[in-house]
């Protein structure tokens, strides 16, 4: 009668991270628990009824219904440790309370649960009768692991990259500049307008545009599409060659200090370039962290406005700054709702209204909007190779959703999701193309000087992705 | 009158009540302090419901209704039966005019409410022995339900014994005398409740014993979820 099955019970001891925390690491993890007591802890870390109403809300459990994947079992990896030290019943009668010592093994199992079995998608919270959000609990778990130095290698490296180089993929400045240069050439050719270009490090522009470094490395056509649409709308915009990363891996790692630093740099860069507004390219957790978490990390409101490119695209359409022809996108398109953008970011409708205007056959998946399932790639999963197989298995729910729509194209306003959806398309034989919303807007664009509509964009997107 | 009978019916009741009230208040204060601290730090697109909205969500559980209508019905039945049972016990302390708006026997429900409650607790308990609930259950989840079940079973038997099997000597007045004497801190045990420590008085001792146990555990267990649900809903994390 254990609160959560141990790794051995699950039969996959090899999937646990191999490193063991030091004594200092254990103390640091205990410290995280102790700091939670005054705030969230006293009512969130000992609240779960273990009623299981949230079980079938979790895509990971639905795809692999094993006990360790139950949302409440994952939460218990944190709460059983909290109960042991910070609740009367857990202190005096630990076995009765289902409380557990915080030792090296418990911490490893915790890491496995909070990094390897949960994408922090927040869907389970929709079903909880008492209003508990397991994300908050699992976040404490990630903070404990971060304090103990147990962040999975891939995730830790990504955070380090981001802190050291300014972008999560450690792309050199020269590479960014050369990508911007050849994209500009392509853009000028496609639009037949020598003024069209990817603007970098230009001062006094209205919009400071942040992109996912994956766009620079693997999905350049989505950056090209954005540049094309901005140009068509007559937008005044620029990127920075130093701090242009919309992602924040400190957020995923549960490392608030790193998250704060990454946010600070970007905001200061935007101010230094004299921009009026930060526009976030399509990114789920980037939106969640810049839009909602950032001011809290910094302890103050931003000195300039911030919004998603999706909102800007809708504004262009509403005000007639761009003209589009949906007939240029005849294939059936469905929309994936990135958890951090939609359920947890509150940006629900602009992308739908945009797609309805730039495509001919737009269909919703079921369920959609706030109820949508995670693609399986969230929560930093994509950067943790040790969980790669689990990640693909958990994507089965999303794959089934996509298949049921009969769509040829999946639009997704997030490049992390795009990576996962591309892999799902291959592994589950969906035969779907994955496109960012801005790419579909670009290919529907009616620009006076357009010579050839850039319809073949997505095929090249796939071709450039490494295996 | 055996000492143990007295211990259960008098000192243990006092201890249980004090622990229950003090413990619940202590946790309540901590919960609402924590709520205030956390409210400041929560960010996100959904604005938390104000007090009335939170109360509505806490009492009617619209989210459970949406995702699990059958479980919602079961939970509603269980909690309603519980509420009626608590009210009926208040009537055992003293006559409450307001409750007699709908005229009924005391205790209310003629055993039907108790029976429904027992069935509901049995459901919750049986559920815990099966996957997947079993994998997430802690020991206390079982014990709490068992204590609740035993309390309810003996209470039900007490009631049935009185009305069906002619323990007619035990009238509602006997309970009223006993309970109000407890309240006025001059505990007396009417003879009808102690006679020979067999039959009815024996069942009563068991009923009160398990009820005491439940009260003793209440503040330290997840039974605080009524308050927690309200606090969490106010926090608006969805
Ligand atoms: C208004 C406040 C309350 C709310 C919102 C609430 C909510 C819930 C919910 C959502 C469940 C889970 C139902 C399920 O598993 O299908 C539950 C179970 C339960 N509730 Fe409440 N409840 C409240 C008050 C109370 C009170 C005051 C008690 C007091 C004794 C209580 C006793 C229980 C018990 C014994 C269970 C079964 C637990 C189990 O399955 O282990 N509830 N409640
Ligand atoms: S947050 Fe998402 S992945 Fe994590 S337990 Fe809940 S539903 Fe599952
Ligand atoms: S629905 Fe809520 S209370 Fe029930 S097991 Fe899930 S998180 Fe815990």
């Amino acid at each position: 009668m254990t609160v959560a099955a141990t790794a051995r019970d699950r039969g996959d001891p090899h999937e646990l991270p191999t490193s063991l925390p030091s004594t200092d690491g254990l103390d640091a993890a205990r410290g995280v628990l102790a700091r939670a007591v005054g705030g969230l802890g006293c009512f969130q870390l000992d609240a779960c009824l273990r009623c299981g109403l949230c079980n079938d809300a979790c895509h990971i459990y639905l795809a692999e219904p094993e006990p360790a994947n139950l949302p409440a079992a994952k939460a218990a990896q944190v709460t059983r440790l909290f109960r042991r030290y910070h609740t009367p019943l857990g202190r005096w009668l630990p076995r009765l309370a289902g409380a557990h010592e915080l030792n090296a093994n418990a911490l490893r199992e915790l890491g496995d649960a909070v990094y390897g079995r949960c994408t922090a998608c927040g869907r389970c919270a929709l079903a909880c009768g008492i209003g508990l959000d397991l994300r908050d609990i699992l976040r404490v778990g990630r903070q404990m692991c971060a304090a103990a130095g147990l962040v999975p290698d891939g995730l830790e490296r990504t955070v380090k990259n981001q802190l050291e180089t300014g972008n999560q993929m450690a792309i050199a400045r020269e590479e960014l500049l050369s990508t911007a240069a050849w994209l500009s050439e392509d853009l000028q050719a496609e639009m037949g307008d020598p003024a069209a270009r990817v603007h970098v490090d230009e001062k006094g522009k209205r919009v400071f545009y942040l992109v996912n470094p994956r766009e620079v490395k693997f999905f350049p056509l989505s950056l090209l599409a954005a540049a094309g649409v901005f140009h068509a709308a007559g937008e005044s915009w620029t990127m920075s060659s130093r701090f242009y990363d919309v992602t924040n891996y400190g957020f995923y790692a549960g490392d608030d200090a790193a998250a704060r630093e990454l946010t600070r740099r970007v905001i200061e860069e935007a101010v230094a370039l004299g921009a009026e507004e930060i526009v976030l390219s399509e990114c789920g957790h980037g939106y969640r962290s810049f839009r909602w978490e950032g001011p809290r990390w910094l302890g103050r409101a931003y000195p300039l406005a911030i919004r998603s490119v999706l909102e800007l695209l809708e504004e262009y359409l509403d005000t007639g700054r761009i003209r589009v022809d949906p007939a240029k996108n005849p294939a059936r398109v469905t929309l994936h709702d990135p958890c951090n953008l939609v359920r947890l970011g509150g940006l629900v409708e602009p992308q739908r209204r945009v797609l309805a205007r730039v495509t001919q056959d737009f269909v919703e998946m079921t369920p959609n909007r706030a109820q949508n399932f995670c693609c399986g790639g969230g929560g930093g999963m994509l950067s943790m190779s040790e969980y790669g197989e689990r990640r693909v298995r958990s994507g089965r729910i999303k794959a089934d959703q996509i298949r049921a729509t009969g769509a040829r194209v999946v639009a997704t306003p997030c490049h992390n999701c795009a990576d996962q959806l591309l892999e799902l398309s291959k592994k589950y034989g969906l035969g779907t193309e994955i496109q960012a919303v801005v790419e579909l807007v670009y290919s529907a664009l009616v620009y006076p000087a357009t010579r050839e509509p850039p319809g073949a964009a997505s095929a090249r997107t796939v071709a450039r992705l490494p295996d | 009158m055996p000492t143990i009978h007295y211990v259960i019916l008098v000192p243990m009741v006092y201890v249980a009540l004090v622990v229950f009230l003090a413990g619940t208040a202590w946790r309540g204060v901590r919960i609402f302090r924590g709520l205030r601290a956390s409210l400041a730090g929560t960010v996100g697109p959904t604005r938390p419901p104000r007090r009335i909205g939170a109360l509505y969500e806490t009492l009617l559980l619209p989210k459970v209704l949406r995702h699990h209508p059958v479980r919602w019905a079961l939970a509603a039945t269980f909690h309603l039966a519980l509420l009626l049972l608590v009210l009926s016990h208040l009537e055992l302390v003293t006559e409450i005019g307001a409750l007699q708006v709908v005229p009924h026997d005391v205790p209310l429900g003629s055993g039907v409410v108790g029976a429904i409650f027992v069935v509901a607790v049995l459901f919750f308990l049986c559920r815990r022995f099966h996957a997947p609930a079993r994998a997430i259950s802690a020991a206390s989840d079982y014990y709490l339900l068992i204590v609740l079940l035993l309390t309810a079973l003996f209470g039900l038997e007490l009631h049935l014994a009185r009305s069906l099997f002619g323990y007619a000597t035990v009238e509602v007045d006997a309970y009223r005398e006993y309970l109000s004497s407890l309240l006025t801190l001059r505990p007396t045990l009417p003879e009808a409740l102690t006679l020979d420590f067999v039959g009815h008085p024996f069942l009563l001792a068991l009923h009160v014993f398990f009820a005491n146990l439940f009260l003793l555990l209440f503040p330290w267990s997840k039974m605080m979820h009524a308050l927690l649900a309200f606090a969490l809903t106010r926090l608006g994390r969805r």
Side-chain angles (χ1 to χ4, degrees):
Chain A
M1 212 152 53
T2 51
V3 173
T6 64
R8 220 174 314 109
D9 298 336
R10 295 195 299 265
D12 59 354
H14 305 299
E15 289 195 57
L16 288 181
T18 43
S19 57
L20 272 175
S22 62
T23 319
D24 285 351
L26 286 176
D27 286 344
R30 266 188 213 110
V32 172
L33 276 184
R35 280 195 297 281
V37 175
L40 293 178
C42 66
F43 64 99
Q44 277 179 304
L45 294 181
D46 192 26
C48 179
L49 278 167
R50 301 177 282 274
C51 66
L53 285 170
C54 55
N55 294 353
D56 48 11
C58 177
H59 64 286
I60 297 183
Y61 178 70
L62 286 179
E64 286 190 271
E66 51 179 281
N69 284 341
L70 288 162
K74 298 176 229 177
Q77 294 289 351
V78 184
T79 56
R80 65 180 187 157
L81 307 177
F82 179 82
R83 280 201 293 274
R84 177 68 186 81
Y85 302 100
H86 301 290
T87 68
L89 205 62
R91 235 179 277 160
W92 299 324
L93 300 165
R95 300 197 82 177
L96 181 67
H100 197 284
E101 295 287 335
L102 202 178
N103 54 30
N105 258 332
L107 210 54
R108 282 167 75 190
E109 290 195 11
L110 170 75
D112 180 66
V114 298
Y115 290 113
R117 295 180 186 275
C118 174
T119 56
C121 75
R123 193 168 191 276
C124 49
L126 298 177
C128 177
I130 59 168
L132 199 54
D133 188 343
L134 293 190
R135 260 180 334 128
D136 288 332
I137 296 174
L138 294 156
R139 189 158 175 76
V140 173
R142 286 195 178 194
Q143 283 166 351
M144 290 170 71
C145 291
L150 281 191
V151 178
D153 290 343
L155 192 50
E156 192 167 32
R157 212 176 319 113
T158 312
V159 179
K160 235 175 125 208
N161 279 346
Q162 225 183 346
L163 285 171
E164 283 170 6
T165 68
N167 74 82
Q168 50 133 314
M169 304 194 80
I171 299 170
R173 185 163 176 269
E174 298 70 45
E175 189 179 342
L176 172 83
L177 293 174
S178 85
T179 303
W182 70 257
L183 278 178
S184 296
E185 279 170 30
D186 278 15
L187 191 63
Q188 286 155 10
E190 281 189 9
M191 297 186 88
D193 186 343
R197 105 191 124 77
V198 175
H199 299 264
V200 181
D201 291 337
E202 295 179 22
K203 286 206 162 176
K205 294 296 174 108
R206 196 187 77 78
V207 164
F208 180 75
Y209 191 52
L210 292 178
V211 301
N212 188 321
R214 309 190 92 74
E215 296 179 61
V216 178
K217 200 117 179 150
F218 302 136
F219 300 92
L221 292 161
S222 107
L223 179 51
L224 176 123
V229 175
F230 287 158
H231 181 70
E235 188 60 87
S236 151
W237 72 285
T238 187
M239 286 171 58
S240 155
S241 64
R242 300 195 307 153
F243 302 123
Y244 54 85
D245 192 344
V246 73
T247 68
N248 189 328
Y249 273 71
F251 170 73
Y252 281 147
D255 184 344
D256 276 2
R260 180 181 311 116
E261 172 61 12
L262 294 170
T263 310
R264 186 190 63 76
R265 289 173 179 178
V266 167
I267 302 295
E268 286 182 2
E269 182 78 350
V271 171
L273 284 175
E276 286 169 32
E277 178 177 49
I278 296 179
V279 171
L280 311 168
S281 92
E282 297 170 54
C283 179
H285 86 277
Y287 185 78
R288 168 82 201 180
S289 41
F290 269 109
R291 179 75 179 75
W292 300 110
E293 309 277 354
R296 182 171 61 92
W297 285 324
L298 296 181
R300 60 189 149 82
Y302 297 148
L304 69 182
I306 191 161
R307 64 176 155 161
S308 160
V309 69
L310 298 165
E311 295 163 280
L312 192 58
L313 291 174
E314 191 183 18
E315 186 185 298
Y316 290 162
L317 288 168
D318 284 347
T319 55
R321 278 174 75 179
I322 56 172
R323 281 203 303 131
V324 289
D325 176 8
K328 292 184 173 190
N329 287 321
R332 172 167 292 185
V333 177
T334 189
L335 172 68
H336 167 64
D337 286 300
C339 311
N340 272 308
L341 185 80
V342 179
R343 178 163 44 246
L344 307 170
L347 194 66
V348 186
E349 300 300 333
Q351 58 270 40
R352 312 192 128 72
R353 292 193 289 253
V354 168
L355 285 176
R357 285 152 86 167
V358 302
T359 66
Q360 230 169 11
D361 184 11
F362 169 54
V363 291
E364 292 277 5
M365 316 187 179
T366 323
N368 56 52
R369 295 181 168 82
Q371 304 282 338
N372 199 18
F373 280 105
C374 175
C375 63
M381 274 291 180
L382 276 162
S383 65
M384 298 182 265
S385 54
E386 58 269 58
Y387 302 125
E389 282 176 25
R390 280 191 200 168
R391 169 169 59 75
V392 172
R393 288 199 298 267
S394 77
R396 184 173 62 76
I397 306 299
K398 177 61 36 177
D400 291 347
Q401 262 187 300
I402 294 173
R403 194 179 285 117
T405 64
R408 306 283 316 131
V409 176
V410 182
T412 179
C414 174
H415 288 93
N416 271 8
C417 298
D419 266 8
Q420 167 80 348
L421 293 172
L422 269 173
E423 198 165 338
L424 295 183
S425 179
K426 269 188 249 160
K427 293 268 162 67
Y428 292 92
L430 301 175
T432 43
E433 283 175 17
I434 316 300
Q435 294 204 354
V437 174
V438 74
E439 291 174 42
L440 287 159
V441 174
Y442 180 59
S443 44
L445 212 53
V446 180
Y447 186 66
T450 303
R451 274 197 236 125
E452 166 216 9
S458 56
R460 277 184 285 160
T461 310
V462 179
R464 284 185 61 89
L465 196 82
D467 260 327
Chain B
M1 178 185 58
T3 322
I4 182 144
H5 199 138
Y6 177 79
V7 169
I8 290 172
L9 289 184
V10 180
M12 191 180 175
V13 173
Y14 279 127
V15 172
L17 273 178
V18 167
V19 169
F20 169 72
L21 292 174
T24 304
W26 179 74
R27 273 201 78 184
V29 168
R30 272 170 55 107
I31 287 170
F32 283 96
R33 259 204 223 133
L35 171 63
R36 207 177 311 140
S38 315
L39 265 179
T42 49
V43 291
T46 44
R47 190 171 297 180
R50 306 289 305 166
R51 285 185 189 83
I52 301 294
L55 209 57
Y56 157 78
E57 281 194 29
T58 311
L59 294 180
L60 294 182
L61 301 176
K63 285 205 275 179
V64 181
L65 179 60
R66 172 171 187 166
H67 290 270
H68 294 276
V70 176
R71 286 285 289 280
W72 182 89
L74 280 165
T77 308
F78 167 80
H79 287 95
L80 266 181
L82 177 72
L83 180 71
L84 289 177
L85 290 177
V86 170
L87 289 180
S88 78
H89 281 74
L90 291 182
E91 283 189 312
L92 282 183
V93 179
T94 172
E95 216 169 277
I96 300 175
L99 289 181
Q100 281 295 351
V101 173
V102 184
H104 56 260
D105 287 344
V106 174
L108 122 189
S110 322
V112 176
V113 177
I116 290 175
F117 184 80
V118 166
V119 172
V121 176
L122 268 175
F123 162 77
F124 283 130
L125 188 58
C126 292
R127 207 175 65 81
R128 293 237 170 245
F129 286 98
H130 288 95
R134 195 188 161 118
I136 49 176
S137 299
S140 59
D141 296 340
Y142 295 87
Y143 289 119
L144 265 174
L145 287 170
I146 290 170
V147 169
L148 212 52
L149 182 68
L150 290 173
T151 311
L153 271 178
F154 288 120
L156 188 60
E157 236 176 316
L158 206 57
H159 179 82
L160 296 181
R162 197 166 62 89
S163 53
L164 300 182
F165 304 117
Y167 283 98
T169 45
V170 187
E171 286 299 335
V172 167
D173 287 339
Y175 295 126
R176 290 217 170 120
E177 189 184 338
Y178 159 59
L179 289 171
S180 49
S181 78
L182 281 181
L183 264 186
T184 51
L185 302 182
R186 270 189 297 269
T188 50
L189 287 173
E191 207 173 327
L193 299 185
T194 54
L195 205 63
D196 298 338
F197 190 49
V198 292
H200 192 270
F202 179 68
L203 289 177
L204 176 69
L206 284 172
H207 178 61
V208 174
F209 175 77
F210 286 111
N212 287 339
L213 213 52
F214 185 71
L215 288 179
L216 284 168
L217 282 172
F218 188 97
W220 325 110
S221 70
K222 62 178 192 183
M223 284 303 109
M224 289 298 289
H225 66 271
L227 269 188
L228 283 163
F230 179 74
L232 286 165
T233 310
R234 276 285 282 123
L235 198 59
R237 307 291 277 131
R238 278 168 299 172

